[in-house]
């Protein structure tokens, strides 16, 4: 492998960040990467999001109207599936970083993903697989139910999709960021906006799913409504593969879990060792070795000082489980110190999970008429999350960041944790708004004597618009910052694992949503009470439930402020292989190594 910073035989410049072509040869900068390659990846994401959210947008209503599941059961099944979708990327990231690389992990996983989509389309299309029709779609009055085989094959298709997305989600965004060389000034500046526009592409595809596809599913049927997302996924893969000649690739660097475990074991086994005051006395490879393997050397830091014991040279047998390099120790530190941040993102993910479950169930009880003979699907309200996310993202990226940057001197305008904190405050406001809105809905229910009836409430569905719109604004701050933070603060050799922290946050949040819903539902049924959440929302108390979420979000915000106050951003002190000058290893990490106050 040529040393980084050299030129190819034809005199063309090679990338300096260790990227290679699909055959493992050093990448010639002019042949691809940058926005030329990212245009295919972003194009893929638009169509893939259309496919993915084409499934999830109306899923809770499919479960209640076709499979005749109750409110709690359907909401929990949706969040359990979504939780699995967002947790499997841990496995996908591991396989990519340790064995196959991001490209080939993505290719194999996308084949599984497409197989699941095809099977799902068949389950809602073939008479032998789809649930029988009922003369009255109200679950409490329908005596015709899907067979166990039909329910089983439907959920089988959903979970095949979850396995497939486990290999695509953590690798596609990371692969996109890999197209920018941190050591090239122009590409470094382009990388600053990558995650903003990445999220823009996601929500652009989501907007199509939450409008056109939701309408097709509601008015035409789920057969066509799921066939179109399958077609969209196929098209997205075609777009992705067309860009193959232009992609830059990072070579697999071994299991990140094994590396982290080795540091923990070595530091514990040498717990009595004394860490020298001079970091140069710790075990480390020389620059030429890092140049050979295309990695970056990271300087020792005082954070989590106990782990530095793993790099102490004490004359004992130098096995990987007894002696680690300073760089390996610092990589482990970077992944470990993000764990408290990960923990305080679980509750925000619980809030996000309400969009496609209880928020939509609320909408299904309201007047959805938009004129004579026309009703909008309840799930189409999620389009407003997308619309307001896109608008606020544009304002944030083009107006807010340039304006605030003049005062903070931060390339991002504000730090990633500050951006996330603004979103967490918005979540409290959203849940208070949702509680007040639900209180208004229930007052109309009471006025018209509908508390014991599964009847439409004579109030427009657009009363829910503020909570959907504010959730879109919150996504601009919380979700984009989470994705960028976990990618940015992960070491170069563990970027896929870092990205999987983001998906893990969403996955755990969905599972927690299921647990909270079931627990609160059961607890509030005691002492003869009917409980806060029932199949009939007109006799439920979602206003209390949303108020509980507002309080939970406020408590979580306090913990977030403590975590962010003591979090130390990664130092930009890394050494470029083959060069004694210290340079930045990650453009997004230009923040000084100080706590975020």
């Amino acid at each position: 492998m040529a040393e980084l910073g050299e030129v190819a035989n034809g005199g063309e410049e090679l990338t300096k960040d260790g990227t290679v072509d699909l055959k493992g040869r050093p990448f010639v900068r002019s042949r691809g990467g940058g926005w030329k390659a990212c245009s295919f990846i972003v194009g893929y994401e638009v169509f893939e999001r259309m496919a993915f959210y084409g499934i999830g947008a109306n899923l809770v209503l499919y479960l209640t109207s076709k499979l005749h599941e109750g409110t709690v059961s359907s909401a929990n099944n949706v969040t359990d599936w979504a939780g699995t979708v967002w947790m499997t990327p841990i496995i996908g990231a591991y396989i990519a970083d340790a064995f196959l690389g991001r490209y080939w992990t993505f290719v194999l996983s996308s084949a599984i993903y497409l197989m699941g989509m095809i099977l799902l389309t068949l389950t809602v299309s073939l008479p032998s697989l789809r649930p029988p029709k009922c003369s009255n779609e109200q679950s409490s009055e329908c005596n015709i139910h899907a067979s166990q085989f039909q329910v089983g094959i439907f959920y089988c298709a959903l979970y095949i999709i979850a396995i497939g997305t486990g290999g695509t989600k953590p690798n596609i965004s990371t692969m996109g960021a890999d197209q920018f060389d941190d050591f090239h000034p122009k590409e470094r500046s382009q990388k600053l906006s990558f995650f903003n526009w990445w999220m823009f592409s996601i929500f652009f595809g989501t907007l199509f799913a939450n409008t056109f596809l939701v309408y097709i599913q509601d008015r035409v049927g789920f057969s066509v409504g799921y066939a179109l997302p399958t077609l969209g996924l196929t098209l997205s893969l075609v777009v992705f593969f067309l860009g193959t000649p232009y992609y830059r690739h990072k070579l697999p660097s071994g299991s990140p879990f094994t590396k982290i475990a080795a540091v923990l074991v070595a530091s514990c086994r040498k717990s009595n060792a004394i860490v020298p005051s001079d970091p140069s006395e710790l075990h480390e490879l020389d620059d030429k070795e890092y140049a050979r393997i295309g990695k970056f050397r990271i300087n020792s830091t005082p954070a989590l000082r106990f782990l530095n014991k793993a790099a102490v040279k004490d004359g004992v047998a130098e096995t990987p489980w007894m002696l680690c390099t300073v760089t390996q120790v610092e990589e482990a530190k970077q992944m470990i110190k993000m764990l408290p941040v990960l923990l305080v993102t679980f509750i925000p993910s619980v809030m996000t999970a309400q969009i496609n479950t209880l928020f939509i169930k609320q909408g299904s009880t309201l007047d959805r008429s938009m004129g004579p003979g026309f009703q909008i699907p309840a799930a189409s309200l999620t389009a407003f999350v997308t619309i307001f996310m896109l608008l606020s993202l544009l304002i944030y990226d083009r107006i807010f960041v340039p304006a605030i940057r003049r005062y903070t001197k931060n390339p991002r305008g504000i730090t990633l944790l500050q951006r996330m904190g603004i979103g967490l405050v918005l979540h409290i406001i959203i849940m208070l708004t949702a509680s007040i809105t639900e209180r208004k809905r229930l007052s109309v229910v009471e006025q018209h004597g509908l508390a014991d009836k599964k009847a439409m409430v004579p109030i427009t569905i657009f009363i829910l618009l503020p909570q959907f719109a504010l959730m879109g604004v919150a996504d601009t701050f919380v979700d984009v910052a989470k994705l960028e933070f976990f990618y940015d603060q992960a070491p170069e050799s563990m970027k896929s694992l870092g990205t999987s922290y983001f998906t893990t946050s969403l996955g755990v949040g969905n599972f927690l949503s299921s647990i909270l819903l079931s627990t609160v539902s059961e607890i509030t049924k005691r002492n003869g009470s009917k409980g806060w959440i029932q199949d009939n929302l007109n006799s439920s108390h979602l206003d209390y439930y949303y108020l509980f979420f507002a309080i939970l979000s406020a408590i979580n915000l306090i913990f977030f402020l403590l975590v962010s106050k003591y979090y130390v951003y990664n130092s930009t002190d890394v050494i470029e292989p083959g060069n004694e000058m210290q340079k930045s290893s990650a453009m997004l990490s230009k923040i000084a190594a100080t706590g975020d106050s």
Side-chain angles (χ1 to χ4, degrees):
M1 181 177 182
E3 288 193 5
L4 304 180
E6 291 183 355
V7 295
N9 292 334
E12 296 180 282
E13 182 188 2
L14 300 177
T15 54
K16 297 181 180 181
D17 59 355
T19 50
V20 297
D21 64 16
L22 199 55
K23 294 183 180 180
R25 300 170 299 196
F27 201 94
V28 176
R29 188 181 306 281
S30 61
R31 294 182 184 173
W35 281 112
K36 180 192 293 184
C38 275
S39 61
F40 293 96
I41 294 175
V42 170
Y44 158 86
E45 192 65 9
V46 170
F47 290 105
E48 192 277 332
R49 291 297 87 184
M50 180 194 77
F52 180 74
Y53 284 102
I55 300 170
N58 241 341
L59 185 56
V60 71
L61 296 183
Y62 182 87
L63 296 180
T64 53
S65 66
K66 304 299 182 182
L67 298 185
H68 311 298
E69 295 182 358
T71 298
V72 174
S73 175
S74 60
N76 283 349
N77 283 333
V78 170
T79 50
D80 286 345
W81 173 71
T84 305
V85 165
W86 294 114
M87 289 296 288
T88 51
I90 298 176
I91 301 172
Y94 168 75
I95 293 172
D97 283 339
F99 304 110
L100 299 181
R102 288 157 196 157
Y103 180 86
W104 290 113
T105 302
F106 173 87
V107 169
L108 293 176
S109 300
S110 62
I112 298 173
Y113 188 177
L114 183 59
M115 181 175 69
M117 289 290 294
I118 292 171
L119 180 59
L120 185 68
T121 303
L122 293 176
T123 62
V124 298
S125 302
L126 298 180
S128 59
L129 297 179
R130 70 186 180 204
K133 290 185 178 181
C134 183
S135 57
N136 190 324
E137 295 296 347
Q138 297 292 341
S139 60
S140 64
E141 301 174 24
C142 183
N143 295 319
I144 304 175
H145 298 283
S147 67
Q148 289 186 344
F149 172 75
Q150 290 168 335
V151 173
I153 199 71
F154 179 82
Y155 279 107
C156 177
L158 285 179
Y159 280 91
I160 288 175
I161 292 171
I163 294 170
T165 57
T168 59
K169 288 183 182 299
N171 292 305
I172 189 67
S173 59
T174 311
M175 190 173 166
D178 288 345
Q179 305 310 308
F180 300 96
D181 187 349
D182 290 319
F183 296 104
H184 189 272
K186 182 179 179 180
E187 293 187 13
R188 192 164 61 234
S189 64
Q190 291 173 335
K191 192 173 183 178
L192 275 174
S193 294
F194 169 72
F195 283 107
N196 282 343
W197 291 105
W198 174 254
M199 293 299 289
F200 187 96
S201 70
I202 287 177
F203 281 90
F204 189 82
T206 305
L207 179 61
F208 184 84
N210 291 337
T211 51
F212 178 73
L213 288 181
V214 164
Y215 178 80
I216 292 295
Q217 291 168 0
D218 189 70
R219 307 297 293 181
V220 180
F222 281 93
S223 296
V224 178
Y226 280 170
L228 288 176
T230 303
L231 252 157
L233 180 62
T234 304
L235 182 59
S236 73
L237 294 175
V238 171
V239 171
F240 174 84
F241 289 124
L242 286 174
T244 296
Y246 305 105
Y247 298 145
R248 299 173 185 174
H249 306 274
K250 293 286 182 73
L251 293 172
S253 55
S255 167
F257 299 113
T258 301
K259 292 179 182 178
I260 295 170
V263 171
L264 295 173
V265 170
S267 58
C268 289
R269 293 173 74 176
K270 295 192 288 187
S271 59
N272 294 325
I274 299 175
V275 179
S277 57
D278 184 0
S280 65
E281 296 180 21
L282 296 172
H283 175 58
E284 183 58 289
L285 304 178
D286 59 32
D287 293 340
K288 290 184 179 180
E289 179 63 19
Y290 282 108
R292 185 185 67 80
I293 60 178
K295 283 188 61 177
F296 302 101
R297 179 156 68 88
I298 307 176
N299 285 341
S300 180
T301 65
L304 300 174
R305 185 176 173 80
F306 175 81
L307 297 181
N308 289 346
K309 294 176 183 290
V312 173
K313 294 180 284 188
D314 59 359
V316 182
E318 297 182 357
T319 67
W321 295 90
M322 281 297 294
L323 183 65
C324 304
T325 65
V326 169
T327 295
Q328 184 178 343
V329 170
E330 292 303 317
E331 288 175 339
K333 287 181 182 180
Q334 290 176 13
M335 296 306 299
I336 292 170
K337 73 179 184 178
M338 286 194 293
L339 292 178
V341 179
L342 175 62
L343 290 174
V344 293
T345 62
F346 292 161
I347 296 301
S349 296
V350 173
M351 304 304 112
T352 303
Q354 307 315 306
I355 297 173
N356 287 320
T357 52
L358 294 182
F359 280 14
I360 290 178
K361 285 291 290 182
Q362 271 183 292
S364 67
T365 69
L366 300 174
D367 181 8
R368 293 174 280 138
S369 61
M370 292 286 291
F374 180 76
Q375 287 192 337
I376 66 168
S380 65
L381 275 186
T382 55
F384 288 102
V385 176
T386 306
I387 292 170
F388 278 84
M389 189 273 178
L390 294 176
L391 290 174
S392 57
L393 184 57
L394 282 170
I395 294 171
Y396 182 87
D397 191 64
R398 295 304 180 185
I399 299 176
F400 176 79
V401 171
I404 201 72
R405 184 189 291 151
R406 300 173 189 172
Y407 303 100
T408 63
K409 308 303 179 185
N410 187 322
R412 293 188 180 90
I414 57 178
T415 68
L416 292 172
L417 290 177
Q418 287 169 344
R419 182 176 182 177
M420 206 181 300
I422 293 172
L424 300 192
V425 172
L426 286 174
H427 276 169
I428 299 172
I429 297 172
I430 290 166
M431 288 305 159
L432 288 174
T433 302
S435 180
I436 293 170
T437 302
E438 177 63 7
R439 183 63 252 167
K440 171 64 178 176
R441 189 188 74 87
L442 291 176
S443 68
V444 175
V445 167
E446 187 177 351
Q447 290 170 13
H448 291 78
L450 302 175
D452 296 322
K453 301 176 182 177
K454 286 189 176 182
M456 193 70 68
V457 182
I459 185 172
T460 176
I461 191 174
F462 290 106
I463 193 175
L464 301 180
L465 179 58
Q467 64 200 58
F468 280 92
L470 284 172
M471 193 65 84
V473 178
D475 282 345
T476 295
F477 291 92
V478 178
D479 282 2
V480 179
K482 276 198 299 184
L483 176 59
E484 191 172 346
F485 177 85
F486 290 129
Y487 174 86
D488 172 47
Q489 295 293 290
E492 287 295 319
S493 63
M494 300 180 186
K495 291 297 187 186
S496 292
L497 181 60
T499 304
S500 74
Y501 274 26
F502 167 75
T503 60
T504 298
S505 168
L506 297 174
V508 173
N510 275 278
F511 285 128
L512 280 176
S513 179
S514 292
I515 294 170
L516 287 171
L517 184 61
S518 297
T519 303
V520 171
S521 176
E522 289 302 317
I523 289 176
T524 55
K525 284 181 181 177
R526 294 176 182 176
N527 300 321
S529 174
K530 294 182 178 179
W532 288 358
I533 303 108
Q534 303 172 46
D535 291 345
N536 179 11
L537 291 190
N538 290 347
S539 58
S540 299
H541 266 295
L542 286 183
D543 54 333
Y544 296 165
Y545 192 55
Y546 290 151
L547 184 60
F548 164 70
F549 273 161
I551 296 170
L552 193 62
S553 296
I555 295 171
N556 185 73
L557 177 61
I558 295 171
F559 284 104
F560 172 82
L561 293 175
L562 290 173
V563 169
S564 61
K565 178 177 176 63
Y566 293 104
Y567 184 83
V568 178
Y569 287 92
N570 292 342
S571 170
T572 57
D573 291 338
V574 297
I575 298 179
E576 179 184 352
N579 191 334
E580 291 301 324
M581 292 180 61
Q582 291 184 347
K583 295 185 178 181
S584 170
S585 68
M587 174 57 235
L588 297 176
S589 302
K590 294 186 82 82
I591 303 170
T594 56
D596 185 10
S597 57

